[in-house]
Amino acid sequence: MAKNKIRIEVEPIGKRLYLDRPANGLEALLEAGIGIKSVCGGKGTCGKCRIIVLDAADTAVSGQEKKVLLPEEISKGVRLACQQVFDRDLNIYIPASSLSEEQKLQVSGTGREVEPDPVCQKYWVEVSPATLEDVTPDFDRIAGLLEKNYKVKADNIDFKALSLLPQTLRDNGWKVTVSLRGTEIINVEGGNQAGHNYGVAIDLGTTKIAALLVDLSTGATLGSRGIMNPQISYGEDVMSRLNFALAGGDSLKKIQEVVTSGIDQAIGKLCQDHQIDRKQINEITLVANTAMHHLFLGLPVRQLSLSPFVSLTGQALSVKAWQLGINIAPGGYVYLLPPIAGFVGSDHLAMVLAADIDQLKGNIIGIDIGTNTEIALKTSSGITSVSTASGPAFEGAHIRYGMRAAPGAIERVAIDSATCQPSIQTIGDKEPSGICGSGILDCIAELRKANLIDTRGKFVQDSNCIFKDEQEGMQYLLSGKPGRDYVSIGQKDIVEIQLAKGAMRTGIDILLDNAQIDFTQIDKIIIAGAFGSYIDPKNVINIGMFPQVDLGKIVQVGNAAGVGAKQVLVSSKYRKKAENLAKKINYLELTTHPKFNEYFVNSLGFPEPEEIF
Ligand code: FES
């Protein structure tokens, strides 16, 4: 099909373009619907359309590129898309910093679309009314018709659906739509509602909750909603929430109800926005870390909070939504994928499923960056996973000017090594009011690259770009003026990031040690999580979270856990696949590993200049 055409592989978006004839790089990418930034409209002056040509050996460099790009960038294959002609087959990589916000959202949550085959199906039936001659019970009448017309078996009915049944049948002239889950009737509605079969997939995170409203007949996502986890008022991290739940009295009930009612409201809002009757939601799937899973269900959590940190169950669960205070179809269920271990939850399983980690060839690392970062390593001997306490620093917490990714947050930072001055980009091009995770990561990587901090993360004192704050110590100024409104990164912030990235690097190193392979043998690194889709992978390497690696090996898949939750909502086949996969993932406890301390201490530093991109 693509014979004689020019083929351009675009990573990390995973798009392949075929060009009939040579074309300007920027135009070809925009033409293909890829939202690459082009602030100067292609004049080659703004430098926003940076791409990395992965096989750059014979890629020409224009005079304009020499003006805008640093020599080190050029030698690493960085070019300006607007100055390049795509005239031969190429592999290019578009850094997150060159993508528009809209494109970043599209990049997040990529995953295989699955053939709809939901556990809940709807059937339209016209039942013959009861008469003195035919006094067959209502349920038996429906079950008989389902068998006769659709060859499906119904052998029980939800109690709530049963109590509503007589009225529904008689008010609607005995013409009704039946929702069947396996062999259980979970809802009976008046009229033909067979085309209105909906579900909600939920990724319940420690900090955020993402909910997707899905049409179960087509598999299409109709809408999504993200809310903060309201349990945050009971503690920022998992341990403080568990401690709250263990405080006695009705504390477990309180912390459960706050999250179930938050989810119930989010579903209500989604239905309202899309004009859907919430009673037509037949199923919810939910993935979460193990503590959030237990707290959502109101299960005892003492065993989770004490060594050896054991999950109550390793099985998938189906719980009636009404028992959890969630209002959907009368007999509708919440289906929860199985947790893997105390600190590796079903969200990790969903990520492994959605990113196809078990199916990929070679040695694969899958990493889902969050308050707890779970990492999976797949080799020829199977999949092993660990959990690292990376903390919320990359979400802006514990960082002096940290904030979430909202308008006004500094999301990109570049530092001119010659003048040590920063260039910043804020979300929505607003006045800077703080710095979010991707900005913090950029800033620290650039500070190291410009040699403003040393390999131990200490500010190099003789720079005139560093100032001393009376209370907070050494600071690098990003915007404003010292003493007035300003945003800066200080020594304490750097330490927070060192601890976070050190935890992740330790997890990777111990997994590699356990599998007896080294990082050069890794074929692909999949970065998942909402934060993971906003970061610049080059800077992940420049702060030493990963050792230096070919950027073409890094793929950002966004909220893969949410994608996995949707896959098991839409497809019974994927549900089985996920349940089987759960049995194959081995859990490795990091903290008792004999080399944990050694690896952790070694992971805190920053790379030497020759290891920086
Ligand atoms: Fe501005 Fe390419 S669009 S440098």
Side-chain angles (χ1 to χ4, degrees), residues 26 37-50 64 68 80-83:
L26 179 66
K37 287 186 180 170
S38 56
V39 175
C40 69
K43 293 198 194 85
T45 54
C46 71
K48 297 286 185 206
C49 66
R50 279 173 161 81
Q64 199 54 38
V68 172
L80 298 175
C82 67
Q83 300 298 302

Side-chain angles (χ1 to χ4, degrees), residues 413-528:
V413 179
I415 296 175
D416 183 327
S417 349
T419 64
C420 71
Q421 290 304 317
S423 304
I424 57 166
Q425 182 186 311
T426 61
I427 297 179
D429 286 326
K430 298 269 187 304
E431 276 299 298
S433 48
I435 184 162
C436 66
S438 58
I440 297 164
L441 183 96
D442 272 9
C443 182
I444 292 182
E446 289 282 303
L447 283 170
R448 177 66 200 118
K449 199 167 153 188
N451 226 358
L452 292 167
I453 55 173
D454 62 20
T455 54
R456 292 169 309 142
K458 294 269 176 292
F459 277 119
V460 175
Q461 308 254 345
D462 59 5
S463 164
N464 55 11
C465 291
I466 313 293
F467 72 97
K468 192 160 183 206
D469 178 278
E470 285 305 311
Q471 270 141 34
E472 299 291 330
M474 309 297 283
Q475 304 285 314
Y476 175 75
L477 189 67
L478 283 162
S479 77
K481 288 203 164 53
R484 308 245 293 273
D485 266 0
Y486 66 89
V487 178
S488 64
I489 284 283
Q491 195 68 68
K492 289 183 190 158
D493 302 327
I494 296 172
V495 171
E496 287 291 338
I497 296 300
Q498 281 178 289
L499 294 171
K501 71 102 183 177
M504 295 184 220
R505 177 68 181 266
T506 306
I508 294 174
D509 287 342
I510 291 182
L511 277 169
L512 293 172
D513 184 297
N514 183 61
Q516 301 197 317
I517 60 172
D518 64 51
F519 204 77
T520 57
Q521 291 168 275
I522 295 297
D523 298 293
K524 197 169 189 174
I525 300 162
I526 296 168
I527 305 180

Side-chain angles (χ1 to χ4, degrees), residues 12 110 348 351-361 363-369 373-378 508 519 522-529 532-533 535 546 551-561:
T110 50
H348 182 68
M351 184 275 277
V352 173
L353 176 80
D356 271 335
I357 289 178
D358 60 317
Q359 307 289 319
L360 295 170
K361 292 215 162 48
N363 299 319
I364 315 289
I365 286 179
I367 176 163
D368 194 340
I369 302 174
T373 296
E374 290 89 26
I375 311 166
L377 172 65
K378 182 244 153 197
I508 294 174
F519 204 77
I522 295 297
D523 298 293
K524 197 169 189 174
I525 300 162
I526 296 168
I527 305 180
S533 60
I535 56 177
F546 299 159
L551 285 176
K553 288 185 178 178
I554 300 180
V555 186
Q556 290 159 293
V557 295
N559 181 11

Side-chain angles (χ1 to χ4, degrees), residues 324-359:
L324 298 162
I326 298 175
N327 181 15
I328 57 169
Y333 283 89
V334 181
Y335 169 85
L336 299 103
L337 275 177
I340 305 295
F343 281 107
V344 177
S346 54
D347 49 354
H348 182 68
L349 171 62
M351 184 275 277
V352 173
L353 176 80
D356 271 335
I357 289 178
D358 60 317
Q359 307 289 319

